[in-house]
Amino acid sequence: MKANKSIVFLIIILSSSLAFTQQTRKVLFLGNSYTYVNNLPQIISELALNTGNVLIYDSNLLAGYTLQNHFASTESKNKILADNWDFIVLQEQSQRPTFVIPSAFMDGFGNLKTFIKQNRPCSLISAFMTWGSENGDTQNCPNNPLVCTYEGMQDLLEDRYMTVS
């Protein structure tokens, strides 16, 4: 009986210590200025540190870049292959998901997802949804009335990102 109590006590101690051990996660960010101007990788790294965890990250974040650009980019593909990432975050150019026919967004995301799954099958893919423009997308409003307001653009962004996710 004493041995059983000791084993149970040991299991509780080990479980407790494992629950509070520091975790290190590796994350790759592929996107554009929406991610780098706001310094998202560094902000997330600091949040992780505040919880006792470590975030190791790398990124390829170029102004105006699309997911199709990343799929065609040797640098982006080499970064995917460079490490065993826990997460790979994909962020599309802000307007593309809201196009009337969003095939460029869907294809870019799908092609990267296939490449990642073939080469880094244990990496979890995360879609970083951007936000609608304050006054909607005035450039594309004439072709797509849904994006003429912030609310319409945001709703469409949410719908499209949820679809690819």
Side-chain angles (χ1 to χ4, degrees):
M1 189 67 155
K2 215 175 191 183
N4 286 341
K5 285 182 183 179
S6 296
I7 292 171
V8 169
F9 183 70
L10 182 60
I11 291 171
I12 290 170
I13 297 281
L14 288 174
S15 298
S16 297
S17 66
L18 289 175
F20 295 104
T21 58
Q22 182 182 38
Q23 290 194 2
T24 299
R25 297 282 187 236
K26 296 183 204 173
V27 181
L28 174 64
F29 293 87
L30 299 176
N32 57 45
S33 60
Y34 271 56
T35 300
Y36 82 76
V37 166
N38 295 293
N39 206 6
L40 184 67
Q42 183 63 39
I43 290 170
I44 293 175
S45 178
E46 290 171 11
L47 287 170
L49 280 175
N50 286 333
T51 63
N53 296 297
V54 175
L55 177 73
I56 298 169
Y57 66 88
D58 195 3
S59 62
N60 191 21
L61 308 169
L62 303 167
Y65 240 51
T66 68
L67 294 178
Q68 286 181 318
N69 293 140
H70 283 292
F71 181 67
S73 166
T74 302
E75 183 177 355
S76 291
K77 286 182 174 176
N78 284 340
K79 285 184 180 282
I80 291 167
L81 300 173
D83 210 333
N84 290 318
W85 303 104
D86 293 302
F87 296 92
I88 299 176
V89 179
L90 304 178
Q91 179 253 309
E92 177 62 275
Q93 188 274 345
S94 62
Q95 296 166 301
R96 291 182 87 147
T98 64
F99 287 175
V100 174
I101 300 171
S103 56
F105 166 56
M106 301 293 193
D107 292 347
F109 192 94
N111 290 337
L112 278 168
K113 181 179 175 182
T114 299
F115 181 80
I116 293 165
K117 287 299 172 195
Q118 287 172 346
N119 294 283
R120 291 289 178 245
C122 294
S123 296
L124 297 175
I125 300 168
S126 179
F128 172 43
M129 179 179 68
T130 58
W131 48 93
S133 301
E134 182 178 3
N135 298 310
D137 183 354
T138 56
Q139 181 181 356
N140 290 300
C141 177
N143 298 324
N144 186 3
L146 294 174
V147 301
C148 294
T149 64
Y150 164 79
E151 292 81 8
M153 186 177 183
Q154 187 63 38
D155 288 346
L156 200 49
L157 282 166
E158 288 176 21
D159 179 61
R160 300 282 170 75
Y161 270 95
M162 293 303 290
T163 298
V164 297
S165 293

